Amino acid sequence: MTDTKDVDRDPLEDLDLIAEFEKDMGAHLADPHAVYDELRKDHPVYAGDLLTERLGLASSTLKLWEGRPYTILGYEAAEQVVRDAEHFSNSVYDRTVGRTHGRTILTMDDPDHRDHRKAIQKAFNRKAMDRWRTDFMIPEVHRVIDGIIDRGRGDVMADFALHFPVSVIHHILGLPPERLQEMHNLAVGLLLYRTRSDIAQLCSQKLGEMMIEHVDAHRSSGGGEFISILANTRMENGALFTCEEMVSFLRILLAAGGETTTRAIGSMFTYLLRQPELLGQVREDRELVQPVIEETLRLEPPTQYVYRYCVKDIDVCGTRIPAGSPVAVSLAAANRDPEVFDDPAAFRIGRKVQHLGFGHGVHMCLGMHLARMEAATTLTAFLDRMPRLRRDERLPDPVIRGVAFRSPATVPIRWD
């Protein structure tokens, strides 16, 4: 006889979704930059799936397609691919996030992509972002610091970065604070589409049910909240977003908006703590905050890879990529191309060449300005509130790990 308690048991209950995601993204694997450095000069366009063939991931987006896979490592090749929407399509995401998140701007090509993106950008306007910064970001950073300031020691990741970006997205969407952790876990679970598609689908369903009610409550509102603006903004053809389209976009925002910024903040502090003199310069001259953020994004892009599907034969840096080929673009490898960046592994602010940390072209990251604002608000507040902020020498140095996503697990700090 089957126990009814087992029948009703939530299959997600005993799963650590964050740990599953870290494993899926290769947090336990060797630093991939040595492989990029070995291959990039002779193979700016690598014929194969580097993620599984050389870097040790169990699966990748490229394995879901039948054509011969290619991995882009050189800066010139990467820039060409991400800018060329005629030959390289975002439909490659149909078999990954398309199945769990729904149809969004991430899976679309123009003209649908252009129409949806322009409408969404109205909700990400400068006035709204300035309000989010003033009303929530700054008070929230200081609230967290208030809770740890008397200790004199802490951890950037555990005490702050793992929670702050998620809470920002939660605030923007006007979601109930008491459900923050639950929704964060489900959003991370969404990203298990390659190795645990059953879990990703279940997280998608649960998150969708939560968001439909929230979207419906805001659709008729004439207020200035993010969801209200999104719900009532018409595209160029006069159409409004359907409820399904809005929920799909919110799934993307919840999963990507928190996860990527968390990693960027952790990497930024890691690099600064390794260079006390530079940290001191930034403390004295806050005009250096933004260059620090940009160099962090170059060295460790929040998303290490983006993907495309080749729809027309094309030559990329001397390599013929045939139609039907899935393509992985390593933004991380491109951003350290010595043909473009002098001493590319060094953290050096003030570089003149534009990095590809947020991609390029029509699919450039929609949330890049928000991510920069969160990182700048964080660094400024920590420097303001924590005199002589420095690495906690009693504990091991922070180490940036991972393959598809990279960040330190811990960043121990001290202050006076």
Side-chain angles (χ1 to χ4, degrees):
M1 182 175 178
T2 303
D3 191 329
T4 56
K5 291 183 179 179
D6 291 335
V7 173
D8 296 335
R9 188 178 183 84
D10 186 343
L12 301 179
E13 185 176 335
D14 297 326
L15 270 178
D16 185 337
L17 293 173
I18 294 177
E20 288 284 333
F21 175 66
E22 292 294 329
K23 180 181 178 181
D24 186 34
M25 294 295 102
H28 60 294
L29 299 174
D31 188 331
H33 288 292
V35 176
Y36 301 151
D37 292 343
E38 172 195 340
L39 295 175
R40 185 173 39 230
K41 182 177 181 180
D42 295 328
H43 304 280
V45 178
Y46 175 83
D49 180 0
L50 194 67
L51 284 161
T52 58
E53 295 172 9
R54 291 291 302 271
L55 298 180
L57 281 188
S59 181
S60 82
T61 295
L62 304 186
K63 293 296 184 186
L64 301 177
W65 295 86
E66 292 73 35
R68 183 178 184 180
Y70 290 83
T71 307
I72 309 299
L73 301 177
Y75 182 95
E76 180 184 350
E79 188 177 36
Q80 177 183 342
V81 171
V82 296
R83 287 174 64 94
D84 185 356
E86 177 184 351
H87 290 87
F88 295 99
S89 168
N90 263 42
S91 62
V92 72
Y93 290 106
D94 286 344
R95 299 186 184 182
T96 55
V97 295
R99 291 180 175 176
T100 53
H101 295 63
R103 187 170 184 264
T104 70
I105 58 172
L106 192 60
T107 65
M108 296 176 186
D109 294 316
D110 286 343
D112 288 350
H113 168 265
R114 180 182 61 248
D115 293 344
H116 282 71
R117 184 182 177 102
K118 286 176 68 175
I120 292 169
Q121 282 178 323
K122 294 181 180 179
F124 276 103
N125 62 76
R126 172 56 65 179
K127 184 177 179 180
M129 287 201 294
D130 287 341
R131 186 173 65 251
W132 299 335
R133 179 177 179 272
T134 301
D135 294 350
F136 184 78
M137 288 186 203
I138 293 175
E140 179 65 10
V141 175
H142 286 281
R143 184 193 68 78
V144 174
I145 292 175
D146 286 342
I148 65 174
I149 193 68
D150 291 338
R151 298 190 327 211
R153 290 184 170 88
D155 187 284
V156 172
M157 300 303 288
D159 291 327
F160 181 77
L162 291 174
H163 318 288
F164 173 66
V166 179
S167 68
V168 170
I169 298 299
H170 219 71
H171 171 78
I172 290 171
L173 299 183
L175 296 169
E178 64 275 11
R179 305 201 75 169
L180 189 151
Q181 191 57 50
E182 178 186 8
M183 288 188 170
H184 179 215
N185 287 339
L186 291 173
V188 171
L190 283 175
L191 301 174
L192 296 172
Y193 46 76
R194 278 184 289 265
T195 55
R196 296 297 305 271
S197 60
D198 56 331
I199 297 300
Q201 291 287 355
L202 183 56
C203 289
S204 176
Q205 177 187 335
K206 286 177 171 287
L207 200 56
E209 291 169 355
M210 295 178 187
M211 297 308 299
I212 286 173
E213 181 179 351
H214 194 63
V215 167
D216 284 342
H218 285 75
R219 181 170 286 280
S220 59
S221 169
E225 297 88 352
F226 181 91
I227 292 181
S228 295
I229 293 174
L230 200 61
N232 294 288
T233 296
R234 293 190 181 275
M235 287 174 273
E236 289 187 355
N237 63 4
L240 293 169
F241 287 103
T242 65
C243 183
E244 181 180 352
E245 286 173 333
M246 287 190 61
V247 169
S248 294
F249 173 69
L250 297 181
R251 286 192 185 104
I252 289 283
L253 188 58
L254 282 167
E259 183 65 32
T260 55
T261 309
T262 289
R263 295 175 185 275
I265 290 172
S267 295
M268 174 179 67
F269 275 93
T270 297
Y271 280 113
L272 280 175
L273 294 169
R274 290 174 181 173
Q275 300 186 67
E277 290 185 5
L278 176 58
L279 181 59
Q281 292 172 12
V282 179
R283 181 182 292 109
E284 296 300 320
D285 182 3
R286 300 307 169 81
E287 293 295 320
L288 299 178
V289 167
Q290 198 58 51
V292 162
I293 294 169
E294 297 309 312
E295 183 67 346
T296 301
L297 295 171
R298 181 188 71 84
L299 281 167
E300 295 297 352
T303 300
Q304 299 271 304
Y305 279 82
V306 296
Y307 300 89
R308 297 290 187 269
Y309 187 74
C310 184
V311 293
K312 296 180 183 179
D313 292 1
I314 182 71
D315 285 329
V316 179
C317 290
T319 297
R320 188 72 167 173
I321 299 181
S325 299
V327 178
V329 182
S330 175
L331 303 178
N335 279 343
R336 298 195 186 198
D337 188 338
E339 297 294 324
V340 177
F341 299 98
D342 181 48
D343 195 8
F347 190 93
R348 183 183 300 167
I349 62 175
R351 294 182 185 271
K352 304 302 181 185
V353 180
Q354 181 180 1
H355 64 74
L356 302 178
F358 286 122
H360 213 313
V362 297
H363 290 286
M364 201 167 186
C365 177
L366 187 63
M368 60 185 177
H369 300 306
L370 178 63
R372 287 178 168 120
M373 182 178 286
E374 290 179 63
T377 301
T378 298
L379 181 55
T380 299
F382 271 63
L383 293 176
D384 286 345
R385 297 287 305 278
M386 296 177 172
R388 291 191 65 233
L389 176 68
R390 60 198 184 275
R391 180 180 65 82
D392 189 343
E393 68 281 356
R394 303 176 312 159
L395 298 171
D397 291 347
V399 178
I400 297 173
R401 301 182 185 278
V403 173
F405 286 88
R406 285 172 56 78
S407 67
T410 64
V411 184
I413 53 174
R414 292 185 61 182
W415 59 88
D416 294 334

